[in-house]
Amino acid sequence: DGFKTSHRPRGALIALALIALGGAAGMELSHLRSVAVEAGRASSVVVRARLGAEVIKSKASRGDLLTEVDGAVQALIEAHVTRAFPDHNFLGEESVPAGSKASSEAIARAMDGASSDYLWIVDPIDGTTNFVQSLPMVGISIGVARRNAATREWELVCGVIVDPFREEIFTACLGQGAMLDGERIFCGLERLQDAGV
């Protein structure tokens, strides 16, 4: 009766459909997101307090650095995940040898050997080079992959990026759109060639 869906953004229609379905999948993703956000918030306190930490070693190259804080933040995130989901698998960047080949192999091994249908993939300080130089431009990256029960294929279902210095939290879950600090965010409608950053 006069209700026109054409005025609603497509993401809003999808969100309404998910709410209407009320299935366990939406609640499950919300719980994953909540734990990731909680872990990211707790980790951001450590990152802010330790900006400019000393390098303890270089990994694959001169620019691929490691500090004590990387390991401490990864352990903090893993503790949050393990407390909430003791059966989920966890793969953190600091547990993997340096280099892109080693990273790809570690992810493949983690997926192949996973005892759970969930795998948390974490970069505790994305931007360590900035971090050691006291440049507050880093992120805490937390992703969750789920193995599809029917196909046995893995898919990313939830991602959280925390900017500890701007105190912003970006989240996205499969089929639920993206948010910044709990508010929906959308892509522009411009054609790619007309878009600007």
Side-chain angles (χ1 to χ4, degrees):
D1 307 351
F3 179 74
K4 296 182 180 179
T5 59
S6 62
H7 295 294
R8 292 183 176 267
R10 185 176 208 181
L13 292 174
I14 293 170
L16 288 172
L18 286 172
I19 291 167
L21 292 173
M27 292 186 323
E28 167 201 38
L29 294 177
S30 293
H31 189 46
L32 292 170
R33 179 178 44 232
S34 293
V35 171
V37 165
E38 177 185 307
R41 276 194 182 121
S43 299
S44 69
V45 172
V46 175
V47 171
R48 280 193 306 271
R50 301 288 306 277
L51 182 65
E54 293 291 319
V55 174
I56 57 175
K57 75 175 188 177
S58 291
K59 297 190 295 188
S61 67
R62 231 176 41 119
D64 192 2
L65 307 173
L66 178 66
T67 72
E68 286 180 1
V69 184
D70 293 87
V73 169
Q74 181 171 304
L76 181 59
I77 295 168
E78 187 169 8
H80 273 81
V81 171
T82 302
R83 190 169 41 253
F85 304 106
D87 61 326
H88 286 195
N89 293 93
F90 187 92
L91 177 64
E93 181 188 33
E94 306 316 320
S95 305
V96 176
S100 59
K101 183 177 181 202
S103 294
S104 296
E105 290 170 354
I107 290 173
R109 274 193 311 275
M111 290 188 299
D112 291 343
S115 57
S116 163
D117 286 340
Y118 292 88
L119 174 64
W120 291 69
I121 305 165
V122 172
D123 185 348
I125 300 179
D126 193 357
T128 303
T129 301
N130 287 340
F131 181 71
V132 300
Q133 294 178 36
S134 297
L135 297 173
M137 296 181 287
V138 303
I140 298 165
S141 302
I142 304 170
V144 185
R146 178 179 60 198
R147 186 172 17 215
N148 183 298
T151 66
R152 305 307 292 161
E153 295 292 319
W154 288 91
E155 61 185 343
L156 289 173
V157 294
C158 189
V160 171
I161 307 291
V162 178
D163 181 334
F165 297 99
R166 293 177 57 104
E167 297 185 23
E168 292 179 328
I169 301 175
F170 295 85
T171 64
C173 287
L174 185 66
Q176 296 181 9
M179 293 189 223
L180 168 58
D181 296 329
E183 297 290 324
R184 287 293 304 262
I185 55 176
F186 299 92
C187 294
L189 298 176
E190 302 86 13
R191 295 180 310 161
L192 184 58
Q193 61 267 29
D194 297 331
V197 178

